[in-house]
Amino acid sequence: RLPTLNAKDKTLLFVALLVTMFALLFTAVFYSHKKQELAETEKSYLKTVRSTYNKILNKQNHFYQTRALANIASDGVKEALFARDKNRLFELTKGRWKTLKSSSKFLYMMNFYCEDGSLLLAMDNPQKVETSKSLHIQKAIKSSKPFYGFVLNGERLEYHVSIPVVFKDHTVGVLEFVALPDEIFSEMEYINELKGALFVKSNTKK
């Protein structure tokens, strides 16, 4: 048989239960608020990271695009590409390639492609012969629109900027810069003090 509580004990028990209920309610509200606050912080940080990432990509795209257009506008370059004059194209471009290569440790390829998508000239290796045709190069030629993006080349991830070359109102090929994605990591680390890995789902076939 349970002991009978007097009025004082009942009051104390009621107060204790009431305090416990308020403590539990306060704890639940506190953790709910903290969880929401953390979610908002993560959302804000992710937004900042994405914004920084997009700015870096736009900056990189602009940098390589302006260099590509400057080279394309140089005397004789369009004509040499149109004529598939590999030696002439190399002589006209080697000075600019040397300057660009020395200004960026992440840039390692500068390629010219013919109208059919075949490789005409790789500035880093003029004797290089490549029989396969890249899908993004063919699309750039067909659409006469630049391509900017990541390409998985074997097990190596690369960032490509491919600019169509128009001669006499006709797309006669593509000038492409290829850089290591480390350039993006370096900028992200410098701006956001963020170190990490870049995961890319690629549907681009070489």
Side-chain angles (χ1 to χ4, degrees), residues 57-183:
L57 284 189
N58 290 335
K59 176 184 174 183
Q60 182 163 303
N61 293 342
H62 178 72
F63 174 83
Y64 288 118
Q65 182 182 30
T66 54
R67 271 61 182 181
L69 292 176
N71 191 80
I72 292 169
S74 298
D75 290 341
V77 170
K78 293 179 182 179
E79 291 81 358
L81 180 58
F82 176 69
R84 301 194 180 192
D85 190 337
K86 183 175 180 177
N87 294 331
R88 175 66 174 158
L89 194 56
F90 179 79
E91 289 300 320
L92 290 170
T93 308
K94 64 180 181 180
R96 192 178 296 273
W97 163 245
K98 184 178 180 180
T99 301
L100 284 171
K101 190 71 178 67
S102 63
S103 66
S104 175
K105 63 181 179 180
F106 302 106
L107 174 66
Y108 72 102
M109 289 176 69
M110 179 180 183
N111 301 325
F112 287 92
Y113 292 88
C114 299
E115 184 181 356
D116 62 359
S118 61
L119 177 67
L120 175 64
L121 172 64
M123 291 301 298
D124 64 302
N125 182 10
Q127 305 308 317
K128 181 179 179 180
V129 176
E130 191 175 272
T131 56
S132 61
K133 298 179 181 180
S134 301
L135 182 60
H136 70 277
I137 292 295
Q138 293 176 308
K139 285 183 176 180
I141 293 170
K142 187 176 180 180
S143 66
S144 293
K145 294 180 179 180
F147 169 84
Y148 311 99
F150 294 96
V151 174
L152 192 61
N153 185 3
E155 296 182 355
R156 182 179 61 208
L157 186 64
E158 305 167 335
Y159 193 78
H160 291 228
V161 176
S162 312
I163 308 298
V165 179
V166 178
F167 180 60
K168 295 182 178 179
D169 298 322
H170 183 69
T171 301
V172 296
V174 166
L175 170 54
E176 177 177 74
F177 290 111
V178 182
L180 296 172
D182 302 63
E183 185 166 6

Side-chain angles (χ1 to χ4, degrees), residues 24-35:
L24 291 173
L25 180 61
F26 176 78
T27 301
V29 172
F30 176 79
Y31 279 108
S32 176
H33 176 71
K34 282 297 181 182
K35 184 177 180 181

